[in-house]
């Protein structure tokens, strides 16, 4: 590139600084010092060079559509020139109360689709242009506003500058859906028999939102801070970071063995897309009534649908005689932890009753169970947790050993008892910390 001065030189300096900063961030993410890690670092240094990054991106701009909402995630066949993908910046969307792409704001991941072999080249170039700020605007904004100094800074001819400015342009010449895509007739008027009262909608995949969800859930499930909180819980220690779970979380794979054919962000996730549970509500009577005329809380607790499901899953897993390794222990402990959570939830529901409900003669529960379920029972010892944990372990051993396939003994009893004592201590610590 020719030597420059003045404003074009400042622009070039900004772009070089932005690329070096991005390269440093990517290199920091590569762990290890083996041959594979070094090869990855070498590939990154080769990719993130200027003007090679510019030259490679310019070659393929016409084959790639940048988007926040994708067609190929709905069906992989439609080419970008025959079906409309959308690029709508979240900050320009209408603000709604519901969760949607509008919540992403200015910090969002732009996707690239069209040609799996070169999506990344165009996506990387676009990311640099959008992220590099000059005179309080992105270089892409300057470029699309007709700023001639951008072309001078990049050493581009006029037609190349026009092509680069069109990097976010629409590859499909007219708004179009495709016969293999989903389409919905949406009633907008009052007469369901009148075709004019419908809009035909073609749902697209909110790829930028899906990518944010994926990164958030991955961090919440496997991040270093989460691991520290989980280790603290197992050690019976307090940790300021809460542990969050997402029941019935599903994982959808897009693209099979070639996720890059869907889009660049899908390739970065290796095709993985998390789906939060969207189950219809189930009517259940949640009226909490005192436990009277019964000898133990476990009769009612054991009939709860979620408790029965967890016990059934744990029994089935242990009946397979799994190998004694870390994976087996983790699976067993995950199910046992969910049962402990259900036990604490049962207590929380019972404690919604007026304090002292267990003091009446009709309540025949043991003192340890009364202390667990009643916010203010009369005249009870302070060491009730150990007796309760023993009764819980007896109950769980009996549930798991109901068939001849499993025999539960003292070792299992000690394990369940210890687990519940730790859960009770954690729960008490959280309540004290909240107060």
């Amino acid at each position: 590139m020719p030597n420059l001065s003045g404003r074009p030189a400042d622009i070039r300096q900004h772009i070089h600084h932005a690329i070096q900063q991005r390269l440093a961030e990517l290199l920091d993410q590569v762990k290890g010092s083996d041959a594979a890690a070094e090869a990855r670092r070498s590939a990154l240094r080769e990719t993130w060079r200027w003007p090679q990054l510019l030259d490679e991106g310019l070659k393929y701009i016409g084959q790639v559509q940048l988007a926040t909402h994708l067609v190929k995630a709905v069906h992989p066949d439609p080419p970008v020139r025959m079906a409309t993908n959308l690029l709508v910046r979240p900050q320009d969307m209408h603000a709604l109360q519901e969760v949607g792409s509008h919540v992403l704001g200015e910090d969002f991941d732009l996707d690239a689709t069209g040609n799996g072999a070169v999506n990344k080249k165009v996506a990387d170039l676009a990311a640099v242009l959008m992220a590099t700020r000059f005179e309080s605007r992105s270089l892409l904004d300057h470029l699309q506003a007709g700023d001639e100094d951008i072309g001078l800074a990049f050493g581009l001819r006029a037609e190349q500058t026009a092509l680069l400015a069109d990097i976010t342009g629409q590859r499909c010449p007219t708004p179009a859906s495709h016969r293999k895509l989903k389409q919905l007739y949406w009633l907008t008027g009052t007469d369901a028999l009148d075709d004019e009262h419908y809009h035909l909608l073609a749902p697209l995949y909110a790829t930028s939102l899906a990518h944010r969800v994926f990164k958030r859930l991955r961090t919440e499930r496997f991040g270093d801070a989460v691991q520290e909180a989980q280790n603290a819980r197992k050690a019976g220690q307090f940790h300021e970071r809460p542990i969050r779970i997402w029941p019935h979380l599903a994982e959808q794979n897009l693209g099979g063995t070639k996720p890059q054919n869907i889009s660049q962000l899908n390739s970065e996730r290796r095709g993985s897309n998390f789906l939060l549970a969207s189950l219809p509500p189930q009517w259940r009577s949640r009226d909490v009534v005192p436990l009277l005329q019964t000898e133990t809380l476990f009769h009612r607790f054991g009939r709860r649908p979620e408790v029965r499901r967890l016990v059934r899953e744990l029994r089935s897993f242990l009946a397979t005689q799994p190998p004694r390794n870390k994976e087996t222990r983790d699976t067993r402990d995950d199910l046992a932890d969910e049962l402990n959570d259900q036990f604490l939830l049962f207590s929380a529901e019972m404690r919604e009753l007026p304090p002292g409900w267990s003091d009446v003669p009709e309540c025949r529960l043991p003192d340890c169970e009364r202390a667990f379920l009643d916010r203010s029972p009369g005249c009870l010892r302070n060491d009730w947790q150990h007796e309760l944990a023993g009764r819980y372990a007896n109950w769980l051993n009996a549930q798991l050993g109901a068939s001849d396939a499993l025999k539960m003994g003292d070792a299992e009893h000690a394990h369940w008892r210890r687990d519940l004592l730790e859960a009770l201590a954690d729960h008490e610590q959280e309540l004290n910390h909240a107060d």
Side-chain angles (χ1 to χ4, degrees):
M1 288 186 178
N3 292 328
L4 296 173
S5 60
R7 191 167 178 271
D10 291 341
I11 294 173
R12 183 180 293 182
Q13 184 178 4
H14 272 75
I15 196 75
H16 279 288
H17 176 73
I19 289 176
Q20 290 302 314
Q21 187 176 32
R22 179 57 178 157
L23 176 60
E25 294 172 355
L26 294 173
L27 290 174
D28 286 342
Q29 296 174 13
V30 181
K31 307 300 181 183
S33 57
D34 56 4
E38 289 302 324
R40 175 62 178 151
R41 294 188 182 96
S42 178
L44 286 171
R45 294 188 184 99
E46 185 65 26
T47 299
W48 287 87
R49 295 167 58 194
W50 193 267
Q52 287 86 342
L53 187 70
L54 174 63
D55 296 338
E56 287 296 306
L58 276 173
K59 290 180 187 176
Y60 305 109
I61 283 179
Q63 301 179 31
V64 176
Q65 173 74 62
L66 299 178
T68 54
H69 296 75
L70 289 184
V71 164
K72 284 185 175 292
V74 181
H75 196 285
D77 284 355
V80 293
R81 294 188 178 278
M82 295 181 61
T84 302
N85 297 267
L86 294 180
L87 196 170
V88 184
R89 301 190 185 195
Q91 63 268 31
D92 297 334
M93 298 179 183
H94 293 292
L96 304 173
Q97 292 185 343
E98 295 80 9
V99 174
S101 298
H102 60 279
V103 304
L104 300 178
E106 295 185 3
D107 183 21
F108 68 99
D109 294 286
L110 188 62
D111 208 350
T113 184
N115 184 339
V118 298
N119 284 339
K120 180 172 172 53
K121 298 179 184 295
V122 179
D124 287 345
L125 177 57
V128 170
L129 295 176
M130 294 178 68
T132 306
R133 310 289 294 184
F134 182 74
E135 297 176 350
S136 302
R137 299 173 68 189
S138 73
L139 291 186
L140 181 60
D141 288 339
H142 282 288
L143 190 64
Q144 294 178 338
D147 191 331
E148 295 180 356
D149 284 343
I150 301 294
L152 292 175
F154 291 174
L156 299 178
R157 300 187 303 273
E159 63 271 17
Q160 290 177 311
T161 303
L163 178 62
L164 185 59
D166 192 47
I167 192 170
T168 59
Q170 181 57 245
R171 303 295 168 248
C172 185
T174 58
S177 185
H178 192 273
R179 61 187 178 85
K180 292 186 177 181
L181 296 178
K182 297 178 181 178
Q183 299 181 26
L184 302 174
Y185 282 98
W186 190 265
L187 182 64
T188 58
T190 58
D191 187 357
L193 300 179
D194 187 347
D195 291 349
E196 297 298 323
H197 284 215
Y198 287 88
H199 280 175
L200 184 60
L201 305 182
L204 300 179
Y205 185 75
T207 180
S208 298
L209 178 62
H211 198 68
R212 174 72 64 82
V213 170
F214 177 86
K215 293 194 295 185
R216 176 68 180 272
L217 289 183
R218 184 177 57 182
T219 300
E220 292 286 351
R221 298 174 73 199
F222 308 115
D224 293 340
V226 175
Q227 297 300 321
E228 292 176 3
Q230 291 176 341
N231 291 337
R233 178 181 181 182
K234 292 179 180 179
Q237 301 171 353
F238 173 76
H239 196 281
E240 61 183 6
R241 192 194 190 288
I243 297 175
R244 302 181 179 92
I245 61 173
W246 288 265
H248 309 297
L249 183 68
E251 184 174 358
Q252 178 189 32
N253 184 277
L254 296 177
T257 59
K258 297 181 178 180
Q260 69 274 15
N261 287 346
I262 301 300
S263 74
Q264 175 56 30
L265 294 184
N266 188 67
S267 180
E268 293 178 14
R269 299 190 299 270
R270 298 181 181 180
S272 177
N273 295 266
F274 290 131
L275 302 177
L276 300 175
S278 182
L279 304 175
Q282 296 180 350
W283 177 261
R284 294 179 183 174
S285 176
R286 304 300 293 180
D287 292 339
V288 179
V289 296
L291 277 168
L292 306 177
Q293 308 297 343
T294 184
E295 309 296 332
T296 178
L297 67 84
F298 291 102
H299 294 324
R300 183 183 295 182
F301 173 71
R303 290 196 299 267
R304 293 165 70 97
E306 189 66 12
V307 172
R308 287 190 296 179
R309 180 188 68 81
L310 290 168
V311 168
R312 185 168 58 252
E313 287 189 16
L314 182 57
R315 184 193 302 120
S316 299
F317 174 70
L318 296 177
T320 63
Q321 299 297 322
R324 299 190 177 190
N325 55 28
K326 183 178 183 300
E327 183 178 355
T328 295
R329 292 192 296 273
D330 288 345
T331 301
R332 175 201 64 193
D333 290 345
D334 287 344
L335 291 169
D337 287 346
E338 289 191 60
L339 273 172
N340 289 336
D341 291 342
Q342 286 295 317
F343 199 54
L344 295 174
L345 177 61
F346 180 69
S347 169
E349 292 174 0
M350 294 300 298
R351 285 177 173 238
E352 293 297 319
L353 293 170
W357 64 264
S358 66
D359 292 336
V360 299
E362 293 81 6
C363 181
R364 301 202 292 259
L365 298 178
D367 285 351
C368 64
E369 295 184 11
R370 292 176 56 209
F372 181 56
L373 301 177
D374 191 344
R375 281 182 294 166
S376 182
C379 301
L380 295 180
R381 304 189 315 270
N382 292 326
D383 60 347
W384 55 268
Q385 293 92 342
H386 291 273
E387 182 181 351
L388 178 69
R391 294 176 67 86
Y392 175 85
N394 286 337
W395 168 81
L396 186 51
N397 263 4
Q399 298 299 310
L400 298 177
S403 65
D404 294 335
L406 285 176
K407 298 297 182 184
M408 298 288 111
D410 293 342
E412 292 78 12
H413 182 280
H415 185 85
W416 312 134
R417 181 177 181 275
R418 182 176 61 253
D419 277 357
L420 183 63
L421 283 173
E422 292 176 356
L424 290 171
D426 288 346
H427 184 60
E428 187 69 24
Q429 204 167 26
E430 290 179 4
L431 292 178
N432 292 337
H433 183 72
D435 294 340

